[in-house]
Amino acid sequence: MIACVSDAGWEGLGGVVEGASSGEVMKRLRSGDVRVLARVISAVEDGVEGVAELVAACRAVVEEAAAVGRVRAVRVGVTGPPGAGKSTLIDAMVRVWRGRAKTVGVVAVDPTSPYTGGALLGDRIRMQGFGGDEGVYFRSMASRGGSGGLAGAVGDVCAVMEAAGREVVVIETVGAGQDEVAVARVADVVVVVLAPGMGDEVQSEKAGMMEIADVFAVNKADCDGAERMEGEILAMQGLGAGGAGWVAPVVRTVATTGQGVADVVEAVERCVREGGAATRVERMAAGGAALDHVGIVVRSIAAARKFYEALGLRVGREELVEQEAVRAAMIPLGGTRLELLEATAEDSVIGRFVAKRGEGLHHIAVRVGDVDAEFARMRAEGVRLVSDCVRVGAGGHRYFFVHPASAGGVLLEIVGQAGAR
Ligand code: CO
């Protein structure tokens, strides 16, 4: 039987919880009854009256188990840009866990569609791939806008899944935006899935992904560019920087054939054993605010490229930013980047900078959690801004500039978390 059934015949959670039968709900949930699991998750999503009590009971169950030394479920966040093959990789990982007799729950956070029958149908289709194995449970959840709200809802669903005996809970999200940062706060391990062929488009997102990743999967590794992508990740991790703590391993996978998938599962389990997530939590506690890049004006990117490549750095592809009349190329450097800027017109901002001051340091860019909120705050506080609105740059990142008069004599660029909505 498929582990996803209609709610017909169920008497409604509210009444059950209020009455003496809340114990019965918990009993059936803890016995692993997937109908009850489905019903309780719906109730969490809908915020049904009385559900908070039930979630609290679930959390108590999980804590009790932990108190007697039973390890609670491992929460694995899996994220990456659309097209990287996340769902296929997750399905393959689920097969590895099922092969080890572990029960798995998958929560797919879908920001594009509200929770509807359509999502339910998708869940059914995915579960059918497992031939009705009740040890696998898929569930889509609508993203709830506010990131705190989403993290809360996902945390609740994880607790319900754990109380229902799921040993692995996978949380699937898209990209590296607010939702992913929120989910990363809930997960024990975060796997970032990338694939070659999308390199330059996700370049600006990668910085945000570096922050949340405990494990990288370079999927579609049988395609051209996998090696280059792995190299870019390693470069961004700042190889040679030594550094204490967990360094996210990079695993090449071909999810469609299963190649490398067991290695991803192994990396996830090693991260749990070695407490690797602590390194990520520290990184993220740095506020989500971080040095994103340093902008350097050059007369010729081609000439500067030679110099920096001779230094052993990788210089990314040149991108034309038409609205600024500038060409830009990024150089990954540790957790941050250098941004080489070359004017395409003499009467542009960068063109005038070169004419007046020659080559040189131009700006520093700080990444913040909520670029719109910062823009509104600074404007309200009378901070002198160069930009009259939050702009969208190449790769979809959002930014604005603060005048040196307000930033201690430095032109300051404020950029949002990549992919943030
Ligand atoms: Co910049």
Side-chain angles (χ1 to χ4, degrees):
M1 203 198 114
I2 302 304
C4 178
V5 292
S6 85
D7 296 329
W10 181 259
E11 52 196 303
L13 180 75
V16 175
V17 171
E18 281 160 24
S21 50
S22 67
E24 173 68 10
V25 173
M26 275 309 290
K27 208 172 133 199
R28 287 177 61 186
L29 182 68
R30 293 185 66 179
S31 76
D33 185 328
V34 289
R35 281 193 54 181
V36 174
L37 176 59
R39 194 66 191 91
V40 172
I41 291 176
S42 292
V44 169
E45 249 209 327
D46 298 342
V48 164
E49 209 186 328
V51 78
E53 189 186 316
L54 192 63
V55 170
C58 290
R59 289 191 196 281
V61 165
V62 175
E63 275 160 31
E64 266 169 42
V68 295
R70 253 192 56 207
V71 182
R72 67 165 177 78
V74 176
R75 298 176 177 186
V76 185
V78 179
T79 191
K86 281 181 304 296
S87 300
T88 312
L89 181 63
I90 288 170
D91 289 4
M93 289 167 73
V94 169
R95 280 176 216 286
V96 172
W97 277 308
R98 290 303 292 142
R100 298 177 186 181
K102 292 201 173 180
T103 55
V104 187
V106 181
V107 188
V109 178
D110 183 352
T112 57
S113 69
Y115 179 65
T116 62
L120 246 187
L121 185 66
D123 294 346
R124 280 208 187 94
I125 289 168
R126 268 181 92 173
M127 278 187 290
Q128 270 166 9
F130 288 88
D133 174 7
E134 291 203 347
V136 188
Y137 179 74
F138 280 97
R139 182 55 181 258
S140 298
M141 262 182 83
S143 165
R144 299 257 152 157
S147 55
L150 176 75
V154 169
D156 288 350
V157 169
C158 287
V160 172
M161 292 256 203
E162 288 165 25
R166 299 285 145 169
E167 293 160 293
V168 179
V169 179
V170 178
I171 309 151
E172 175 181 350
T173 54
V174 180
Q178 304 287 57
D179 286 354
E180 290 62 41
V181 172
V183 166
R185 295 188 198 284
V186 177
D188 296 314
V189 182
V190 177
V191 179
V192 169
V193 187
L194 298 170
M198 50 187 9
D200 291 314
E201 291 77 51
V202 298
Q203 193 65 41
S204 70
E205 282 190 23
K206 268 201 214 130
M209 293 188 179
M210 297 305 294
E211 202 155 89
I212 61 174
D214 295 312
V215 175
F216 281 101
V218 175
N219 194 29
K220 306 184 184 180
D222 51 345
C223 297
D224 279 351
E227 197 171 329
R228 183 182 148 210
M229 172 154 270
E230 181 176 348
E232 283 173 1
I233 295 166
L234 295 175
M236 285 183 86
Q237 285 178 323
L239 271 190
W246 176 264
V247 177
V250 184
V251 183
R252 288 197 221 173
T253 58
V254 183
T256 49
T257 66
Q259 184 193 318
V261 176
D263 297 332
V264 176
V265 170
E266 173 50 33
V268 163
E269 290 175 354
R270 193 162 61 83
C271 182
V272 172
R273 277 199 309 274
E274 297 180 13
T279 306
R280 163 170 50 88
V281 171
E282 252 171 49
R283 214 162 44 220
M284 292 177 68
L291 180 63
D292 189 84
H293 63 267
V294 175
I296 301 170
V297 168
V298 296
R299 289 187 200 281
S300 154
I301 288 180
R305 172 187 296 274
K306 274 189 199 142
F307 173 80
Y308 284 104
E309 284 181 346
L311 198 57
L313 300 175
R314 284 166 175 271
V315 182
R317 203 168 69 178
E318 285 179 34
E319 280 181 64
L320 181 65
V321 187
E322 254 170 273
Q323 60 191 359
E324 314 281 2
V326 77
R327 258 195 296 274
M330 287 290 186
I331 305 174
L333 188 61
T336 180
R337 297 172 291 173
L338 302 180
E339 178 185 45
L340 301 178
L341 299 163
E342 178 189 325
T344 59
E346 278 177 22
D347 64 344
S348 64
V349 172
I350 300 300
R352 286 192 294 271
F353 181 95
V354 175
K356 196 170 154 198
R357 299 162 66 170
E359 296 185 315
L361 280 180
H362 182 257
H363 67 272
I364 69 167
V366 171
R367 186 167 68 245
V368 299
D370 188 337
V371 66
D372 296 290
E374 283 304 328
F375 183 81
R377 180 186 66 78
M378 288 190 193
R379 184 173 249 186
E381 289 176 5
V383 171
R384 190 164 162 199
L385 302 177
V386 179
S387 313
D388 53 2
C389 63
V390 177
R391 289 171 164 262
V392 180
H397 76 283
R398 309 181 65 235
Y399 68 96
F400 66 93
F401 279 95
V402 181
H403 196 278
S406 285
V410 180
L411 179 60
L412 183 65
E413 180 182 2
I414 306 289
V415 298
Q417 297 286 356
R421 284 170 286 272

